[in-house]
Amino acid sequence: PTLTDTSTQTATPRPPTSTVTQTYTPTSTPSSTPSPTPTLSYSKPRLLRPEAGQYFSGAETRIELLWEPVGNLKEDEWYGLMLRYVHEGQDIEAGDWLKGTSWIVPSYFAGQADEPGRRYQWGVVVVKELERRSDGSRDGTEISPRSEVREFTWR
């Protein structure tokens, strides 16, 4: 998978300039020789909060996404967080690279998911950083199974 910066590809409000928002976009390249299968170094992250289907109200509501640690991450290993929703009929995927096991959903995401549901999905995977570009974005490969995907509503 390739991680790509989405800050210029979406119609959502931009995060503060100090935050790098990235998403996972699987890519494949035609080749006559098969690519080696990446080694999975960690177990699947286990999501803790919010509970599946939880409802939140108000743009200033503090929503903390929380998961169990999978072990001690090395310097070049990160939790890759994914937040997905539909905005004006288009699938939007945003995220972040984290060393910790929680993420506060920025208030600028409030109201971005389309009606009637205003639903957001989220999940976590452990990622090994392969390259950091001059613009701050990163390339990496997944080194754990992806967590379950949970959904919450934010009105």
Side-chain angles (χ1 to χ4, degrees), residues 7 12-21 106 108-109:
S7 61
T12 59
R14 292 179 188 240
T17 55
S18 62
T19 301
V20 176
T21 301
Y108 56 79
F109 283 112

Side-chain angles (χ1 to χ4, degrees), residues 25-38:
T25 308
T27 59
S28 61
T29 49
S31 172
S32 58
T33 58
S35 301
T37 303

Side-chain angles (χ1 to χ4, degrees), residues 10-13 82-94 108-122 150-155:
T10 67
T12 59
M82 174 276 305
L83 181 70
R84 187 178 2 203
Y85 57 98
V86 176
H87 177 75
E88 297 180 356
Q90 294 186 356
D91 290 325
I92 305 296
E93 191 171 292
Y108 56 79
F109 283 112
Q112 291 299 305
D114 287 351
E115 289 285 3
R118 297 266 190 224
R119 291 187 180 97
Y120 297 79
Q121 295 179 327
W122 71 284
R150 285 208 184 156
E151 185 174 277
F152 63 89
T153 300
W154 192 6
R155 298 188 159 278

Side-chain angles (χ1 to χ4, degrees), residues 41-109:
S41 305
Y42 296 96
S43 60
K44 175 170 69 171
R46 186 173 159 270
L47 306 182
L48 299 174
R49 286 194 319 251
E51 293 294 325
Q54 193 165 343
Y55 178 90
F56 297 94
S57 179
E60 297 306 315
T61 299
R62 184 177 190 265
I63 301 174
E64 180 180 26
L65 308 180
L66 182 68
W67 57 96
E68 281 186 356
V70 296
N72 293 323
L73 301 181
K74 296 176 184 168
E75 187 176 321
D76 61 347
E77 296 172 344
W78 302 81
Y79 290 106
L81 176 109
M82 174 276 305
L83 181 70
R84 187 178 2 203
Y85 57 98
V86 176
H87 177 75
E88 297 180 356
Q90 294 186 356
D91 290 325
I92 305 296
E93 191 171 292
D96 209 348
W97 294 56
L98 307 158
K99 288 292 186 176
T101 57
S102 70
W103 189 68
I104 305 300
V105 181
S107 62
Y108 56 79
F109 283 112

